[in-house]
Amino acid sequence: MPTLETRCDDRLMTEADIPAVVAMERLACQLPVHAWTEDNYRSSIRAGYWMRVRQDRHSGRIVGVCVAMDGIDELHLLNIAVDVDFRGQGLARDLLALLYARCRARRAPCLWLEVRPSNERARALYLREGFADIGRRKGYYPAPEGREDAIVMRRLIDPIDMSPTSEVPHALD
């Protein structure tokens, strides 16, 4: 059976991908209100954010998306989503690995993200990947009944082997 590496390609996201990405993400999210909109993706493309899709080589179907913003000495993961039919196959970890490599290439010692407390699957992945809770943003995300907080997480990036480290202090610590 082919692996994801032999079945899928990673490439830059384009404006033409937006409808397929939005449709995939809406099905992948716990609730449609959690998904990014076409306008979110368009503005990210205009801003020049790092945007990648993973596409099935045979069907052309987009099965994953990852969006990150470069900072001066950090990267910030803005959005990541995996097609429900491709979950549990390591695709999100592979997309995160691309971000770790980008951190190293840019000499950025950390990767930041926000995650909904209700998104237990994502939180578990981030904790396994070496992210640590740093703080909370009150009312950060839209929710069906108002707003939901965000847990702010950070993963320190070792420039040599990308393993998470806990000894490197940050200005906010």
Side-chain angles (χ1 to χ4, degrees):
M1 178 170 199
T3 65
L4 278 177
E5 285 90 26
T6 61
R7 287 182 46 204
C8 295
D9 293 311
D10 296 315
R11 63 172 176 78
L12 288 172
M13 183 176 168
T14 68
E15 185 111 11
D17 295 321
I18 292 174
V21 168
V22 168
M24 179 273 300
E25 186 179 354
R26 283 193 180 162
L27 293 173
C29 286
Q30 293 169 340
L31 296 169
V33 70
H34 295 177
W36 270 27
T37 65
E38 289 193 10
D39 285 341
N40 292 132
Y41 284 108
R42 274 193 212 91
S43 65
S44 294
I45 288 172
R46 280 193 307 271
Y49 292 161
W50 183 91
M51 302 177 72
R52 296 292 182 277
V53 292
R54 181 163 273 197
Q55 186 171 29
D56 183 87
R57 187 173 290 143
H58 303 292
S59 68
R61 178 178 168 188
I62 292 176
V63 298
V65 63
C66 187
V67 181
M69 177 177 63
D70 294 334
I72 294 178
D73 62 353
E74 65 188 27
L75 260 70
H76 192 123
L77 173 60
L78 300 175
N79 192 31
I80 188 169
V82 173
D83 187 298
V84 292
D85 294 337
F86 283 73
R87 286 190 179 160
Q89 299 179 47
L91 199 152
R93 279 192 322 271
D94 290 348
L95 291 170
L96 288 171
L98 293 174
L99 280 177
Y100 305 152
R102 181 159 180 85
C103 285
R104 287 194 348 235
R106 294 186 44 79
R107 298 180 186 258
C110 59
L111 176 60
W112 294 87
L113 62 84
E114 289 89 13
V115 63
R116 293 172 184 272
S118 63
N119 192 343
E120 295 173 7
R121 183 182 191 104
R123 261 193 56 67
L125 169 67
Y126 298 142
L127 290 169
R128 281 193 312 272
E129 285 290 307
F131 284 85
D133 293 356
I134 299 299
R136 189 174 281 260
R137 298 186 199 276
K138 296 285 186 195
Y140 185 77
Y141 289 112
E145 302 291 326
R147 308 292 294 179
E148 182 176 3
D149 291 353
I151 298 171
V152 179
M153 301 182 81
R154 177 186 70 195
R155 183 185 194 269
L156 300 176
I157 306 295
D158 185 320
I160 296 170
D161 66 9
M162 292 192 324
S163 64
T165 61
S166 58
E167 292 79 40
V168 180
H170 186 272
L172 296 178
D173 290 344

